[in-house]
Amino acid sequence: VERDGCYLMMHRISKKNDVNKDKWIGIGGHFLENESPEECLLREAKEETGLTLTNYRLRGIVTFICDQLDHAEYMHLFTADEFEGEPIACNEGQLEWVAFEDIQKLNIWEGDKVFFKLLNEREEFFSSGKFIVGLNAVLITLATIAIILFVNIKVNSLKVKIDELKE
């Protein structure tokens, strides 16, 4: 969610045993059964911030492949620049508006820096290709990529490579 040159970020300081402890992340979450990316986006935004998004855009898709899982993880990256309401207290962390230029200075995951850079440098939709990582990296990265909003889809036994699709 963006407003006046700032992103709404979450400082994960509330949960015990949190893989994201003390990190700054964007809001987001996982699909519920039979939920579309847009439905997930709207639900997660409302649950975590109290905001009702009224203008949002799909900005990118990131693919994660892990040999320890039987499926790929797809992360849909959205930005939203119009909404109704004011941020509420969140049980997952503290919400704060952070200037675009200050995001890289926060305690964010190294991988998150890549996605913020893509969001800030490119107006058009992007697909950042395939990341082959270990199980912990998939779970941590998907849970913490600090892009405004994200959702992910699990696709069982996916073996198609994004790079092949681009050709």
Side-chain angles (χ1 to χ4, degrees):
V1 178
E2 53 187 79
R3 176 179 77 181
D4 300 327
C6 296
Y7 289 130
L8 184 59
M9 299 291 292
M10 182 184 301
H11 192 196
R12 295 291 291 253
I13 56 174
S14 299
K15 287 183 163 183
K16 292 182 180 181
N17 302 318
D18 186 357
V19 68
N20 296 309
K21 182 80 171 143
D22 297 324
K23 295 286 187 189
W24 288 83
I25 64 171
I27 61 169
H30 293 78
F31 278 88
L32 297 179
E33 188 172 349
N34 298 319
E35 198 172 44
S36 73
E38 292 80 8
E39 290 168 330
C40 183
L41 163 73
L42 296 172
R43 177 183 53 77
E44 287 286 348
K46 187 71 169 177
E47 288 176 3
E48 293 184 359
T49 70
L51 301 176
T52 301
L53 305 182
T54 57
N55 187 47
Y56 52 88
R57 180 166 65 112
L58 179 62
R59 297 288 303 280
I61 297 178
V62 180
T63 303
F64 293 89
I65 306 290
C66 176
D67 59 4
Q68 297 171 4
L69 298 175
D70 67 348
H71 60 270
E73 295 278 344
Y74 290 94
M75 183 175 62
H76 291 68
L77 307 174
F78 289 87
T79 55
D81 59 6
E82 293 178 22
F83 54 88
E84 295 173 355
E86 289 297 323
I88 60 171
C90 178
N91 66 353
E92 294 184 32
Q94 180 180 338
L95 295 170
E96 187 174 321
W97 294 102
V98 179
F100 295 161
E101 62 270 13
D102 292 336
I103 296 293
Q104 299 289 339
K105 299 173 191 172
L106 298 175
N107 181 21
I108 61 176
W109 295 103
E110 287 301 312
D112 297 1
K113 293 177 182 180
V114 173
F115 303 108
F116 272 111
K117 187 172 190 268
L118 287 171
L119 282 175
N120 290 330
E121 291 178 353
R122 299 174 64 171
E123 268 306 304
E124 74 276 7
F125 177 87
F126 65 86
S127 175
S128 61
K130 177 175 71 171
F131 294 85
I132 301 175
V133 294
L135 179 59
N136 288 339
V138 167
L139 298 176
I140 290 169
T141 302
L142 286 175
T144 63
I145 288 184
I147 303 301
I148 319 321
L149 300 163
F150 76 85
V151 294
N152 70 55
I153 300 173
K154 294 180 180 181
V155 180
N156 290 328
S157 303
L158 179 71
K159 302 298 179 194
V160 177
K161 296 178 184 174
I162 290 297
D163 297 333
E164 291 174 1
L165 293 175
K166 290 181 181 178
E167 295 177 0

